[in-house]
Amino acid sequence: MTRLLSILLSLALASPSAAQVKTVAPVVEAAPAVGPVGAGLVKPSLGPTLSAPSLAAPSLGAPSLALPTPAVQPRARAQAQAAQAALAAPTPAKAVAAKEEQGRAAAEGKAKAVPDLGPTQQLSAVQARTTPTPEAMRRLEPPAGTPRTVAELSLTPESGRKYFASPEDWRDEVVYSVMTDRFSRSKRAIPLGDPKSGVSRHGGDIKGVTARLDYLKTLGVSAIILSPVTMGIPEAYHGYAPTQLLAVDPHLGTMDDYKEMVREAHARGIKVILDVVANHTGPVFEYKDGSKYQGAGRKEIGEWTELLGPEDMTGEDFTRRGVIDDWNNHDQATHGDFPPNYRHWDTERDATRSKLIKVTQWWLKETDVDGMRLDAIRHMDPDFVRRFSREVKEYAGGLGKKNFLVLGENSTGVDSDIVGDLGLGTDSGYNYPEFRRQQFALHGKAPTRQLEESFVRARDALGAALGRIIRFIDNHDTYRFLRDGESDGVLKAAFAFLLFSTGIPLVYYGAEQAFRQLEGRLTPEGGDRPADPQNREDMFAEGQYKTESSKGDKFDTGAASFKLLQQLMKVRRDLPALRRGEQHVRWSDPYNSGIYAFSRIYQGQEVVVVMNTADEAREAEMFVDNGLTPAGTALSDALDAGYGVATHPGAEGGSKVTVRVPARGVRVLVRK
């Protein structure tokens, strides 16, 4: 009975009530005046950004010297910082986990709002509540052959086995993020519950991913992240409620299926990043005296509601403080269970650390993956993250993976938090701060100066490390970039910004097919209007969880959005400067949507990217590097062979170029 009540509570938080089910009309806010985050700010007296000419011929890869951007008026700066704090509020996380990443005060010390925990359904069709099946209400045994204990795991690889080598530089990669249950399914699909519900299992599986690797290769993808494949409670379709840490979830397939998927990906040059949930488990036990959070000591365990594997991970491996009720309380955020009942590992305990790290190393040995996404690192003990990063990468290096990636997931809105995560030994993180600051400008609803200011803030905080941070315009915890009622035309500049700006680009599944969110606002998703589950539509044809933008078979390589992204990915592969080059802003408009231009410079080559976020053609004159691209240099557009321009002397000296860009268009100018 306790197990049944636990499941029903999870479903109540993850599934809409009849009153919640509704059609959401598009809501598009008025465009903000100016500022780094899309809030209404005082208009500063700024001119367009210019980059000064080089004073001398630079050495290979040396950037132009840039004129400083005029300072924003103090009042405007203060308001921009306050607005940044407001929009940097953490995103809601996985649906059943009841919004995992909440957070910290902004730089000014102002507490962030905690969103409501109950997600609202956004599909127009009435959705039935998922009803647990008898299978979902019993303790599930791991599949036959699953190791029973951590102690029995061997980390010695098979004799003579050759592991797939790491990429030379992760900046060269384009990552594709998959919600496994919703992406592609094979004939063995095992759905569970109402196929029209956004919180049930729809049957997407690992074999389905394998069958679509050629599709991803055709697009230009070079690395993939699947949502967690570890066995968890059946009602947690998203994978973030693990119970058997050494088994693949039977709804997704088998360990052999996963190994085959990795081998087939490698055969196509595609790297695989494993999503590791080392912060918490699913609802494996209840507390004897209730789940209210307590500040010290450990609560006594009552009934075990799930079999926990490995068997030598016990109640002593959990913090057992109770469930978080104040996300802004640091003690609760780092020791508490995620609501309603996802139990928190004690990552301060050395024995628990050792077990979790060994389990991760075993997955690496068994599957030959190329990187790890470490979920929810802000809720773990920093020393655990530091040890995890060091020991996992050392082990990978011993297998021949000299550039193994540890990607830390922290949905913070503060740049310095990412700096802190990198200081723990992680190689990369999600660029949430820039993502939050850029939405209005990328949608053409705010001046392009916001894009420059966002970049400058990130660059000043992260320096060269910015080049290895994951850049995205949407993901499984945010609204999809394309909103209901918007023209597909906004995708061109947004995709170009994603792929050509400094950082490792991440494409969320369905973006290449122009999937839309049934939501019009550009402010962050929250408890009143969450992103999930509507941003996790079925991509496969037989799926029934669909919107107008995702209906039917959405693996169309002839779709305009697919071909656009494919073309941009090819240009990125062909021009190393777009992958590894230093970035220098050449133009931004302080008052309007329109031109945003930047150069990427690498090994003596300058590539000038000029994008237009406005609904009409725009033209701008801007400096380029005087040493690499002197006056009289002919430049051609890598996206349009019929367009070319020549640089000319600037009145101030140096070399300049005048570029005209169609509405919502992009130019990628390279020396002929």
Side-chain angles (χ1 to χ4, degrees):
M1 177 58 70
T2 304
R3 167 64 173 153
L4 176 58
L5 290 174
S6 172
I7 291 173
L8 292 176
L9 178 57
S10 295
L11 293 169
L13 288 172
S15 184
S17 67
Q20 289 176 315
V21 176
K22 62 180 180 178
T23 300
V24 178
V27 179
V28 180
E29 307 95 322
V34 69
V37 293
L41 303 175
V42 174
K43 180 191 286 188
S45 54
L46 299 176
T49 299
L50 299 176
S51 291
S54 300
L55 302 182
S59 59
L60 292 182
S64 307
L65 298 176
L67 289 172
T69 302
V72 178
Q73 296 171 4
R75 180 184 174 194
R77 179 68 67 191
Q79 289 183 333
Q81 291 173 342
Q84 166 60 16
L87 283 186
T91 67
K94 293 76 188 177
V96 184
K99 314 309 172 192
E100 170 262 353
E101 295 287 326
Q102 305 306 331
R104 113 179 226 208
E108 296 84 2
K110 189 174 182 180
K112 297 176 182 176
V114 179
D116 182 5
L117 297 180
T120 302
Q121 188 57 266
Q122 294 181 338
L123 293 180
S124 58
V126 175
Q127 314 255 324
R129 182 183 300 275
T130 302
T131 303
T133 64
E135 179 185 354
M137 292 188 286
R138 64 181 177 81
R139 299 183 183 185
L140 300 176
E141 291 278 354
T146 301
R148 309 297 293 194
T149 64
V150 177
E152 73 185 75
L153 298 179
S154 170
L155 297 183
T156 303
E158 299 173 13
S159 178
R161 181 176 181 181
K162 184 175 178 59
Y163 285 82
F164 193 73
S166 298
E168 177 185 343
D169 193 324
W170 278 94
R171 292 178 298 174
D172 294 338
E173 309 305 321
V174 175
V175 183
Y176 189 88
S177 177
V178 169
M179 180 60 62
T180 313
D181 181 63
R182 308 295 166 84
F183 179 62
S184 177
R185 73 185 195 185
S186 68
K187 293 180 180 179
R188 68 164 297 281
I190 308 175
L192 176 67
D194 181 359
K196 295 180 181 179
S197 168
V199 296
S200 60
R201 293 245 187 193
H202 298 175
D205 57 13
I206 295 166
K207 281 186 174 294
V209 174
T210 305
R212 296 298 183 178
L213 290 173
D214 286 334
Y215 166 85
L216 297 178
K217 180 69 173 177
T218 300
L219 179 61
V221 168
S222 61
I224 56 174
I225 301 176
L226 276 62
S227 54
V229 298
T230 310
M231 182 176 176
I233 57 174
E235 57 269 34
Y237 71 92
H238 45 66
Y240 291 98
T243 56
Q244 293 288 336
L245 305 191
L246 301 176
V248 167
D249 194 306
H251 292 87
L252 301 179
T254 66
M255 181 65 81
D256 285 341
D257 292 339
Y258 190 79
K259 292 178 181 179
E260 178 189 22
M261 186 274 296
V262 175
R263 286 194 300 270
E264 291 296 325
H266 286 165
R268 293 161 175 79
I270 298 175
K271 296 82 183 172
V272 180
I273 300 169
L274 181 71
D275 199 344
V276 176
V277 184
N279 175 69
H280 60 271
T281 68
V284 294
F285 61 76
E286 297 295 340
Y287 292 112
K288 190 171 183 179
D289 59 350
S291 61
K292 183 176 176 57
Y293 189 84
Q294 65 181 33
R298 295 191 181 198
K299 299 172 76 70
E300 187 175 349
I301 293 175
E303 178 188 5
W304 283 85
T305 53
E306 278 290 350
L307 294 178
L308 177 65
E311 294 172 359
D312 49 355
M313 300 198 81
T314 69
E316 295 303 305
D317 291 305
F318 294 91
T319 52
R320 287 162 41 198
R321 299 278 190 92
V323 175
I324 298 170
D325 58 29
D326 180 3
W327 291 95
N328 292 316
N329 181 300
H330 178 74
D331 183 69
Q332 291 194 33
T334 52
H335 296 95
D337 304 340
F338 290 166
N341 48 17
Y342 284 23
R343 305 311 178 199
H344 189 266
W345 292 116
D346 188 353
T347 53
E348 294 180 358
R349 183 173 180 264
D350 190 65
T352 306
R353 293 176 181 176
S354 296
K355 294 175 187 177
L356 291 171
I357 291 170
K358 187 175 182 181
V359 165
T360 305
Q361 291 169 330
W362 177 83
W363 273 89
L364 170 55
K365 183 205 75 169
E366 290 292 308
T367 65
D368 194 18
V369 293
D370 307 285
M372 302 282 184
R373 177 190 182 273
L374 190 56
D375 185 62
I377 63 172
R378 85 160 73 169
H379 299 284
M380 301 177 192
D381 180 71
D383 285 338
F384 168 70
V385 177
R386 185 177 291 109
R387 180 179 165 189
F388 178 98
S389 300
R390 181 182 69 251
E391 294 187 12
V392 168
K393 288 193 288 188
E394 286 176 353
Y395 180 74
L399 299 180
K401 295 176 178 290
K402 304 299 184 183
N403 196 17
F404 191 82
L405 182 77
V406 175
L407 167 60
E409 190 260 351
N410 183 346
S411 62
T412 178
V414 183
D415 297 275
S416 59
D417 286 351
I418 300 178
V419 177
D421 294 342
L422 296 177
L424 301 178
T426 60
D427 302 296
S428 184
Y430 284 73
N431 199 341
Y432 267 101
E434 282 209 271
F435 165 77
R436 293 296 181 206
R437 295 192 291 257
Q438 293 164 349
Q439 288 298 298
F440 278 85
L442 286 179
H443 284 266
K445 302 299 182 183
T448 57
R449 177 59 56 84
Q450 292 188 10
L451 301 177
E452 178 185 3
E453 291 189 346
S454 176
F455 166 71
V456 170
R457 290 178 65 173
R459 181 201 61 195
D460 290 350
L462 287 155
L466 182 60
R468 66 176 192 267
I469 303 301
I470 294 288
R471 177 177 295 280
F472 59 95
I473 58 174
D474 53 13
N475 66 35
H476 71 273
D477 282 331
T478 72
Y479 293 142
R480 288 191 175 275
F481 178 82
L482 194 61
R483 309 294 166 87
D484 196 36
E486 284 185 310
S487 165
D488 289 5
V490 301
L491 287 175
K492 186 166 187 177
F495 281 165
F497 180 83
L498 169 66
L499 289 170
F500 299 154
S501 301
T502 188
I504 304 169
L506 179 144
V507 176
Y508 184 43
Y509 88 99
E512 77 281 8
Q513 298 291 341
F515 280 17
R516 297 171 179 275
Q517 192 87 22
L518 297 185
E519 174 61 65
R521 72 178 187 179
L522 298 177
T523 46
E525 64 286 340
D528 59 333
R529 286 194 182 120
D532 61 81
Q534 193 266 304
N535 63 346
R536 303 171 183 180
E537 308 102 304
D538 295 334
M539 194 154 165
F540 45 89
E542 59 272 38
Q544 298 182 52
Y545 188 66
K546 298 277 191 177
T547 63
E548 186 66 26
S549 66
S550 58
K551 69 179 182 180
D553 188 339
K554 301 309 291 188
F555 294 94
D556 180 6
T557 58
S561 50
F562 181 96
K563 296 180 77 66
L564 167 63
L565 193 54
Q566 181 186 49
Q567 180 191 25
L568 297 177
M569 287 188 184
K570 182 180 185 303
V571 169
R572 187 178 191 272
R573 288 196 305 275
D574 291 344
L575 298 174
L578 294 177
R579 296 181 268 116
R580 303 188 185 188
E582 294 184 359
Q583 181 166 323
H584 306 277
V585 178
R586 299 305 191 192
W587 181 277
S588 69
D589 192 315
Y591 306 129
N592 301 294
S593 59
I595 298 292
Y596 178 63
F598 55 89
S599 291
R600 301 292 303 275
I601 296 176
Y602 181 70
Q603 293 186 345
Q605 182 185 52
E606 178 177 23
V607 178
V608 185
V609 177
V610 188
M611 49 182 274
N612 179 12
T613 64
D615 289 326
E616 61 276 336
R618 294 286 176 85
E619 184 175 275
E621 181 187 51
M622 65 200 70
F623 280 108
V624 291
D625 191 289
N626 191 39
L628 298 175
T629 316
T633 301
L635 301 175
S636 60
D637 185 355
L639 298 175
D640 179 1
Y643 183 85
V645 292
T647 58
H648 56 269
E652 311 88 340
S655 179
K656 301 182 81 172
V657 65
T658 300
V659 186
R660 184 170 179 81
V661 187
R664 299 288 184 179
V666 179
R667 303 285 188 199
V668 179
L669 302 177
V670 295
R671 188 169 185 164
K672 287 187 178 180

